[in-house]
Amino acid sequence: MNEALETIKVLNIDHLGIVAGIIDEMELVEEVNKKVGIKVKETLTPGQVMKAMILNGLGFLSAPLYLFEEFFVGKATEHLIRKGVYPSHLNDDRLGRALDQYYQVGTTKLFTAIAIKAADKFQVEMNSIHLDGSSMYVHGEYEKESETIDKINQEASLNQAELESEMKPIEIVHGYSRDHRPDLKQFIIDMIVTGDGDIPLYLKVDSGNVDDKSVFVSRLKEFRKQWTFAGICVADSALYTADNLEAMRELKWITRVPLSIKEAQHKILDIQENEWQESETTGYKIATRESEYGKIKQRWLIIESEQRKKSSIQQVKKQVEKQLEKAQAALRKLSRQEFACQADAKIAVEKLSLSWKYHQIKEIEYSEKPEYTKAGRPSKSTEKQQIKYQVTGQIEPRIEVIEAEKIKAGRFILATNILDEDELNNQQVLLEYKAQQSNERGFRFLKDPLFFTSSVFVKSPERVEAIAMIMELCLLVYNLAQRKLRQALLLSDGSVRNQVKKFTNKPTMRWIFQMFQSVHLLLVNGKQQMSNLTEERQKILRYLGENCRQYYLMI
């Protein structure tokens, strides 16, 4: 008698089990379903669709949203999302309807609810927060008013006041380009992260022409209200205006002072050598000043970076040399010009000299060039029709300006309204500001070409805004996973190997994800088994916790 043939089905799970485990630990699906609502006949709830979007977004396979259904082909979809869910259920239509639902609730409101729940579950500290904004670029044409609004309003359970505040689509337009791409339309993402693991806590999607200076304070106040936050707010120089400082009287803040302010231009140079104090951070030294800019008492820290000073001085030298070449060419061109009077020649040479930052024209001489009524060589009796004037001179460096630039090189100014150094000393101010890089890391992550959001493929501003929220949620999940693993390694004095085969207790989650490639879920006669789950991978999953382990059948 022949034995029944054994049936085997191989499904990819790779690192997506880790992503799913972190999403479960956040209780994201439950929170989204509570905020958005569930319809009885839906195969997938709004929370499950969002989970699928995040799995797609963190797939790092350059799979944009219009390939949403195709992304899950061959993957363990039922295992990762829910029994009875197949790739065909994750189609463009279901995706679009979910994006409309998220927009209807409000992207900032929905993201904040998820982030508050996650911060509580993962015990994220919020002693300080960091605010910044960045441009996200899109291709193609976008409508200013979406045709989906009527449909959303029909389904909405919000009252009229809520609709008026929530249902205002962003405008995808040209604006100030941080990445030097003025040819592309854009929208803006304002983001607040905590210094504890770079965890994003707040999201606001703005129109592409919004100015940071005009909205940063309102963003901080909104965050403070939603999170009942009493810590320190950190931001770049866009926050530092007299109006903003006045509006932030009730907040504790640290920000960079723009060197365009006259007081800053003076104080950054006026430092005696004995005033410098070496920082605990290698390569930095600090001098302090008081200021009442904007009628707000504050402490200014003039900071000099040794490494930045060296590179900045070299940059100044290059700029001086480059300007000299242009100045010499400009002066030669000017010397060939003819002027009707000496006064005009003088104005022209002074205007040219003042246009250079590092150089000036000295030893200026004016020469007369007579013009005659008759052609040929003039005789003594030939009448002069008029006299034209030409100018010559020598180019000299502006020594005092160049020396001032060298002194300024590598220096910047930080300001804080926390005057008591016992509450926040100079070293802590510097460290808090340096942690502002957490925003930059987050924006680099969002703009990574391997991330599905490198291009936005939907054509309504409402859905673009909803996708921007999904982008930010991907960052939230990624950083929570990285923070959880690093904390577990630190507490256990453990380590994992990195890309160059060395052991570290601060691995990046991207590398961990790569380590889990080729992990498969096998269905052997309907029973589940894992393949390629090496001891090293099992060790990492033990650090990541029970929610992640269950997806790899370790529980």
Side-chain angles (χ1 to χ4, degrees), residues 101-128:
Q101 289 176 303
Y102 304 151
Y103 177 81
Q104 174 185 316
V105 172
T107 52
T108 298
K109 179 180 177 181
L110 187 54
F111 180 87
T112 301
I114 296 168
I116 287 174
K117 174 73 76 172
D120 179 59
K121 287 290 181 181
F122 285 78
Q123 298 182 338
V124 176
E125 294 182 0
M126 288 176 286
N127 298 323
S128 64

Side-chain angles (χ1 to χ4, degrees), residues 244-343:
N244 284 354
L245 297 185
E246 174 63 31
M248 292 192 299
R249 281 186 178 274
E250 296 180 0
L251 302 176
K252 297 177 181 178
W253 50 262
I254 298 170
T255 184
R256 188 163 177 164
V257 180
L259 294 183
S260 56
I261 295 174
K262 286 185 179 180
E263 184 181 349
Q265 294 171 7
H266 172 69
K267 287 187 174 178
I268 202 169
L269 292 171
D270 187 26
I271 308 291
Q272 301 300 315
E273 194 59 37
N274 60 2
E275 292 184 272
W276 290 111
Q277 296 178 353
E278 292 297 326
S279 170
E280 295 174 18
T281 304
T282 304
Y284 289 88
K285 54 185 182 180
I286 303 171
T288 57
R289 290 287 186 273
E290 294 180 355
S291 175
E292 291 193 14
Y293 182 80
K295 298 181 181 179
I296 302 295
K297 287 187 178 181
Q298 53 199 277
R299 179 172 25 135
W300 279 18
L301 276 63
I302 295 88
I303 297 172
E304 183 174 288
S305 163
E306 181 181 346
Q307 182 178 0
R308 189 182 295 181
K309 188 175 186 68
K310 290 178 181 177
S311 62
S312 296
I313 287 175
Q314 289 301 315
Q315 189 63 32
V316 170
K317 290 179 178 177
K318 289 180 181 179
Q319 290 173 355
V320 171
E321 292 171 1
K322 187 176 181 180
Q323 191 181 86
L324 177 59
E325 292 178 6
K326 291 184 177 180
Q328 289 171 335
L331 183 57
R332 285 195 297 270
K333 182 178 179 181
L334 181 68
S335 67
R336 292 193 292 269
Q337 288 183 244
E338 297 179 352
F339 298 90
C341 63
Q342 185 171 321

Side-chain angles (χ1 to χ4, degrees), residues 3-28:
E3 295 183 3
L5 292 175
E6 189 174 58
T7 60
I8 301 176
K9 189 174 184 180
V10 181
L11 297 170
N12 291 337
I13 185 167
D14 299 327
H15 64 281
L16 296 179
I18 296 175
V19 177
I22 297 298
I23 292 173
D24 291 351
E25 191 170 352
M26 293 165 59
E27 298 183 4
L28 178 143

Side-chain angles (χ1 to χ4, degrees), residues 195-230:
D196 180 13
D198 298 354
I199 306 301
L201 303 174
Y202 173 90
L203 160 78
K204 180 66 178 179
V205 184
D206 276 322
S207 298
N209 55 1
V210 167
D211 178 25
D212 290 344
K213 293 180 182 180
S214 65
V215 299
F216 268 10
V217 171
S218 62
R219 301 289 175 259
L220 289 172
K221 286 187 172 182
E222 185 179 356
F223 173 84
R224 187 169 180 252
K225 181 179 179 181
Q226 291 174 337
W227 288 82
T228 61
F229 175 74

